[in-house]
Amino acid sequence: MEQLKVIEIQKNVYAKNDEEAAKVRAEVKQKGVYLMNLMSSPGSGKTTTLVRTIQHLKEKLNIGIIEADIDSDVDAKTIATTGAKVIQLHTGGMCHLDANMTRQGLDILETDGLDLVVLENIGNLVCPASFDTGATLNVMILSVPEGDDKPLKYPKMFKVVDVLLINKLDAIGYFDFDLNAVIERAKALNPNIVIFPMSAKLNQGIDAWCDWLEHAVKSSR
Amino acid sequence: MHELGIMIHIVDQIEEIAKTQHLQHIDTLVLEVGELSGIVPHYLENVYPMAVENSILQHSKLQIHVIPGKVLCRDCHHVFHLVTPQQACPKCQGNNHKLISGQEFNIKEIVAY
């Protein structure tokens, strides 16, 4: 039997994915595509918010959607009703998207002529925060029923996102949800975070968010 | 629980290293996990047999070195062990700290031939 030896690696577990993500980011930039990664818990209204966003922006931007789910294509079918170009990715049990899966999604979608591609990540506030997808913009949704303590429980997610959408404000009367406390907690973790309170269901607060996004897409060119 | 997906990601990286370094057998995989990394060592150990199935790590052992979450109080320069993300300095009750360690999640080394 050969002699065992210790091989020092000393490499961050996420380092390899971070390298791939940097490549994806450069590729989409070169193609003139603005890639947005949308993250949240299951049931926060990701798909509803996305449908509203597409309805607001579809005359101004060519939009493509990559739907990622562990299984099923119900979200992709809902998105398809808006007329946006959409594909469904199945992660086969994986709880997050990584940069390689994102690249596969972009290849299948065919991004030529698209201004904005939205990656709807798996509903989960833990792992998607650790795996950079290569997106230009990271956005998360926190909905009122989830509670105002989420920045305390999932600090990493609130640290990595550029934008926080606080959804289901129409339901705030039924829950003990302190909007100011959430804003304060999120800003303590991430001073540059941009926050939009909204109700996707009632189509309230969507304008401000969509104007901001349109400006971000156009000024990135 | 997200440890299985992450463990599979680690196995892929080790397979790549094994290929480039022409390794035939891996005896032990050593990981460093910070207390504030959001990774639970116990779950890594639980999912390990599933993640390594049919890989070069199949019969290997997993060793985890836990790195304590330590912070430096910027006000009184006291170094203390951070248990939860929001925790005041035990010496001066200040909330102005700098993280020194605990967020690591590294592949430290492998024992192999």
Side-chain angles (χ1 to χ4, degrees):
Chain A
M1 194 167 141
E2 282 184 66
Q3 195 73 38
L4 285 170
K5 57 184 176 185
V6 175
I7 301 167
E8 184 115 7
I9 299 173
Q10 206 60 43
K11 196 176 168 193
N12 187 293
V13 168
Y14 307 114
K16 185 167 173 275
N17 183 63
D18 289 345
E19 286 163 24
E20 285 303 315
K23 285 185 208 159
V24 170
R25 206 163 0 256
E27 284 162 19
V28 292
K29 187 164 177 66
Q30 203 223 338
K31 283 186 170 174
V33 174
Y34 192 85
L35 180 62
M36 168 182 145
N37 176 24
L38 182 61
M39 298 172 282
S40 80
S41 309
S44 65
K46 269 201 305 297
T47 307
T48 310
T49 305
L50 207 46
V51 167
R52 290 292 188 199
T53 304
I54 296 165
Q55 286 167 346
H56 267 71
L57 292 175
K58 68 178 177 186
E59 306 298 327
K60 298 167 184 163
L61 300 171
N62 288 319
I63 305 173
I65 310 289
I66 300 172
E67 276 293 332
D69 268 306
I70 288 175
D71 210 335
S72 99
D73 60 357
V74 287
D75 289 347
K77 282 181 175 156
T78 310
I79 297 290
T81 61
T82 62
K85 193 173 179 185
V86 57
I87 61 145
Q88 176 78 54
L89 278 187
H90 282 155
T91 58
M94 290 286 255
C95 50
H96 60 271
L97 283 175
D98 63 18
N100 274 328
M101 287 188 258
T102 303
R103 181 182 284 112
Q104 284 171 27
L106 289 166
D107 288 346
I108 301 166
L109 183 69
E110 294 175 352
T111 56
D112 288 349
L114 293 179
D115 304 303
L116 170 66
V117 172
V118 182
L119 192 61
E120 188 178 332
N121 215 313
I122 312 284
N124 175 349
L125 290 181
V126 187
C127 339
S130 297
F131 283 87
D132 189 348
T133 57
T136 326
L137 182 77
N138 287 300
V139 178
M140 76 167 287
I141 302 176
L142 173 70
S143 65
V144 166
E146 292 166 60
D148 54 28
D149 57 352
K150 290 300 164 289
L152 305 176
K153 288 189 169 176
Y154 303 96
K156 191 161 188 186
M157 178 59 83
F158 287 83
K159 274 184 200 164
V160 301
V161 295
D162 306 294
V163 176
L164 167 64
L165 307 178
I166 304 176
N167 194 24
K168 303 193 186 180
L169 270 196
D170 51 299
I172 202 160
Y174 300 97
F175 297 91
D176 293 325
F177 186 93
D178 185 340
L179 181 60
N180 289 329
V182 168
I183 293 172
E184 211 173 278
R185 286 165 184 164
K187 291 210 161 168
L189 290 165
N190 181 350
N192 298 321
I193 197 166
V194 182
I195 302 175
F196 296 98
M198 61 172 58
S199 162
K201 185 184 169 190
L202 301 183
N203 209 4
Q204 287 165 353
I206 299 283
D207 290 10
W209 150 241
C210 288
D211 289 349
W212 186 93
L213 179 61
E214 185 190 352
H215 181 257
V217 172
K218 291 187 171 166
S219 58
S220 76
R221 285 179 192 149
Chain B
M1 192 185 82
H2 55 143
E3 279 75 5
L4 180 58
I6 289 176
M7 204 63 233
I8 290 171
H9 186 78
I10 294 171
V11 171
D12 288 347
Q13 294 190 57
I14 299 295
E15 293 242 280
E16 215 168 275
I17 292 166
K19 206 186 277 175
T20 53
Q21 301 205 16
H22 308 290
L23 302 175
Q24 292 150 37
H25 174 82
I26 297 180
D27 183 74
T28 311
L29 166 65
V30 185
L31 301 178
E32 281 178 336
V33 180
E35 281 180 335
L36 307 171
S37 66
I39 303 292
V40 184
H42 176 68
Y43 287 149
L44 285 179
E45 282 159 5
N46 275 352
V47 300
Y48 195 67
M50 290 174 263
V52 299
E53 214 177 84
N54 298 323
S55 78
I56 190 165
L57 288 159
Q58 184 150 6
H59 301 291
S60 65
K61 297 183 279 287
L62 173 65
Q63 236 181 57
I64 297 174
H65 296 179
V66 175
I67 299 176
K70 282 200 176 154
V71 290
L72 168 74
C73 174
R74 284 197 173 108
D75 298 331
C76 74
H77 304 290
H78 181 57
V79 173
F80 63 100
H81 186 192
L82 192 75
V83 186
T84 61
Q86 280 75 33
Q87 189 188 325
C89 170
K91 208 171 159 193
C92 74
Q93 308 306 318
N95 265 311
N96 184 18
H97 356 284
K98 187 180 154 198
L99 196 66
I100 300 173
S101 69
Q103 285 193 313
E104 298 82 357
F105 186 24
N106 299 323
I107 303 171
K108 185 173 166 33
E109 61 198 25
I110 48 178
V111 181
Y113 63 76

